[in-house]
Amino acid sequence: MSTYLYSAVRTPFGRFNGALAGVRPDDLAAGVITALLERAPRLDPAAVGEVVWGNANGAGEENRNVGRMAALLAGLPTSVPGTTVNRLCGSSLDAAMIASRTIETGDADVVLAGGVESMTRAPWVLSKPAKGFPAGNVTAVSTTLGWRLVNPRMPKEWTVSLGEANELLRERYGVGRARQDAFALRSHRLAAAAWDEGFYDDLVVPVEGLKRDEGIRADTSLEKLSGLKPSFRPDGTITAGNASPLSDGASALLLGSAGAADRIGLEPLARVAGRGAFALDPQDFGYAPVEAANRALARAGIGWDRVGAVELNEAFAVQSLVCVDAWGVDPEIVNTRGGAIALGHPLGASGARVLGTLAKVLRERGERWGVAAICIGVGQGLAVVLENTEAGA
C-alpha cells in the first residue's frame, strides 16, 4: 500500500518578535489544521485516524503534546488521537514520514501531519535545584534555539553552537563567503518572485493580518549581504544574511491511502515513494541530508539523474551548498521558489513546508520525481522522495 499527499497548507512565516509574536503556537497549529480540513469538505473529521505533529520546543504553550492540543482547538472530535514528534528541525518531516508508515501498514486511512514553532514565544527555563532553595542567583535559559542545560559528559566538540558547526563545515569543504552570500541573494529573489507570481497563494493562509512571509528581503543585494559582520567568529563567513532567521509559523499536510480519495474528495498530488534518515557526529549535522536523501532515493528505486526538483531546507547557506555539491545535481532545480533563508525556518514547521512546496513545484515544472530534505541539529538528516501523480512514466 502507498501513501499519497492530498493537500498542503501553511501560515506565512513571521520573523522573530514580528507579526506573529502575539499568536500562541497551539493556535497557529489549530489554524492550519482548520484550513486543511476546509480544503477537503467531504472528509468527515471523525475519519481522521491520527494527528501527527512536529515541534522542537514543547516547553511552553505547546503543553508538551501540541499535536493533541491543536486537534482539540481545531474542533476535531475528541476521538481523534494526536501525538507530537520532536526531531528538532526535522520534526514535521518526521511527522509526515510516521504518518506515511501508519497508512502503509493499514493502521489508518487518513492522517493529518504537520508542525509548528513559535521561536518568539519559546520560554526561558530554570533548572530545579538538587534540594532545598539556592541562596544565590539562578539563571534562566532561553529555549529559542540550540543547546540548553547541556550534560557535562557530552564531548565539547559535539556541543558547539549551530553557527560554529557550520563554520567548521565551511572550512572542511572550502565554501567561501561570496558563494554563501550569492546563494542567500538567490533565495530572496526567488521567494519574492514566487509571491509576486502567485505561487504561494493557495499554499498559505493569512494569520493576524500577515499574508506573506515576513523575512523576504526583495531589495537586498550582494553589496548589502557582503557588508554584514560575521555572527559566530570575528574572521568567519556566516552572517545574519546567509543563514535562516528565527521564525514563527505552522504547516500542515493531509495524507491518505489511494482508496481515501473518495472520502477526502480530492485527487492526490504526489505519492510518498521513499524515506531516508541518517546520523553522524553532532557538529556535522549540516551534511547529514546528503546520505538521508541517497537512502530515500535508493528506497524509491531511482537515482539522482531522474530527480527534477529538490526542496532543501536552507538552515545555513554553507550547509545547503555542501549538500548540493555532494549530490551533484543542477543547482537550478534546488529551491526554485526560494528557501528558508528568505522564507524563514520555524523549526517544527519547516519539514512539512518543504514537502508541501515540493509537491507543487513538481506539478508546476511537470517533473515526476522530487526530493525534500532537511538537516537537523545534533547530527541528523531526513529526506522524502515524492512522485508526481500527474507525471507520466
Side-chain angles (χ1 to χ4, degrees):
M1 183 184 295
S2 292
T3 296
Y4 293 84
L5 174 62
Y6 283 88
S7 186
V9 67
R10 67 176 177 89
T11 69
F13 287 172
R15 290 187 68 85
F16 185 82
N17 217 19
L20 301 184
V23 186
R24 291 173 55 113
D26 48 3
D27 284 329
L28 287 171
V32 289
I33 290 175
T34 299
L36 199 65
L37 292 173
E38 288 174 348
R39 294 172 181 217
R42 280 172 52 182
L43 177 62
D44 179 359
V48 174
E50 184 85 63
V51 173
V52 186
W53 212 253
N55 180 246
N57 198 314
E61 294 164 336
E62 300 92 348
N63 274 293
R64 297 191 178 97
N65 185 1
V66 70
R68 174 63 171 170
M69 305 303 168
L72 294 173
L73 289 168
L76 285 169
T78 56
S79 58
V80 176
T83 189
T84 299
V85 179
N86 187 350
R87 206 191 288 239
L88 303 181
C89 303
S91 295
S92 57
L93 192 58
D94 205 9
M97 293 166 73
I98 292 168
S100 66
R101 295 187 194 102
T102 301
I103 292 163
E104 288 166 19
T105 59
D107 287 345
D109 201 38
V110 178
V111 179
L112 296 182
V116 67
E117 209 74 51
S118 175
M119 299 179 80
T120 299
R121 298 177 72 88
W124 294 283
V125 297
L126 290 175
S127 183
K128 288 184 178 179
K131 61 180 180 179
F133 301 97
N137 296 328
V138 293
T139 301
V141 179
S142 174
T143 64
T144 296
L145 180 69
W147 294 86
R148 76 287 306 255
L149 305 177
V150 180
N151 191 312
R153 296 194 298 110
M154 281 281 187
K156 296 298 184 185
E157 63 270 23
W158 287 1
T159 61
V160 298
S161 72
L162 302 179
E164 174 59 19
N166 276 270
E167 289 286 9
L168 293 170
L169 200 66
R170 180 265 303 177
E171 288 180 333
R172 183 182 307 167
Y173 292 99
V175 180
R177 169 75 181 268
R179 193 175 174 209
Q180 294 177 53
D181 288 345
F183 184 85
L185 178 63
R186 175 182 182 268
S187 185
H188 283 285
R189 287 181 173 172
L190 291 177
W195 273 106
D196 291 345
E197 294 165 12
F199 175 84
Y200 285 115
D201 288 354
D202 63 351
L203 282 176
V204 177
V205 289
V207 178
E208 294 292 302
L210 183 65
K211 299 179 180 179
R212 185 167 172 156
D213 298 304
E214 199 174 10
I216 299 170
R217 297 291 181 260
D219 61 348
T220 196
S221 65
L222 282 178
E223 290 74 22
K224 290 179 181 178
L225 290 168
S226 64
L228 296 173
K229 294 181 179 180
S231 299
F232 303 100
R233 294 183 183 180
D235 61 345
T237 63
I238 297 172
T239 71
N242 58 36
S244 60
L246 305 178
S247 310
D248 307 328
S251 303
L253 306 165
L254 180 59
L255 298 142
S257 67
D262 289 341
R263 177 183 292 182
I264 292 171
L266 299 170
E267 290 300 314
L269 301 171
R271 179 178 71 90
V272 176
R275 298 174 291 258
F278 188 66
L280 31 63
D281 288 351
Q283 70 272 25
D284 296 332
F285 74 93
Y287 196 74
V290 172
E291 184 58 25
N294 291 341
R295 292 184 177 193
L297 285 167
R299 287 164 185 158
I302 63 168
W304 279 108
D305 59 320
R306 300 186 67 187
V307 173
V310 176
E311 285 293 320
L312 171 64
N313 191 60
E314 301 168 353
F316 294 83
V318 62
Q319 65 81 207
S320 299
L321 287 164
V322 298
C323 289
V324 173
D325 289 350
W327 291 326
V329 297
D330 180 356
E332 293 305 309
I333 71 168
V334 180
N335 298 351
T336 57
R337 290 309 197 167
I341 289 174
L343 302 173
H345 178 22
L347 308 179
S350 289
R353 177 193 70 79
V354 296
L355 198 64
T357 302
L358 177 64
K360 184 165 185 183
V361 167
L362 289 173
R363 291 292 179 100
E364 177 187 57
R365 295 169 62 88
E367 297 287 351
R368 181 178 179 186
W369 300 101
V371 174
I374 194 164
C375 69
I376 302 163
V378 202
Q380 298 192 83
L382 292 177
V384 171
V385 174
L386 288 184
E387 180 184 19
N388 177 4
T389 54
E390 274 192 348

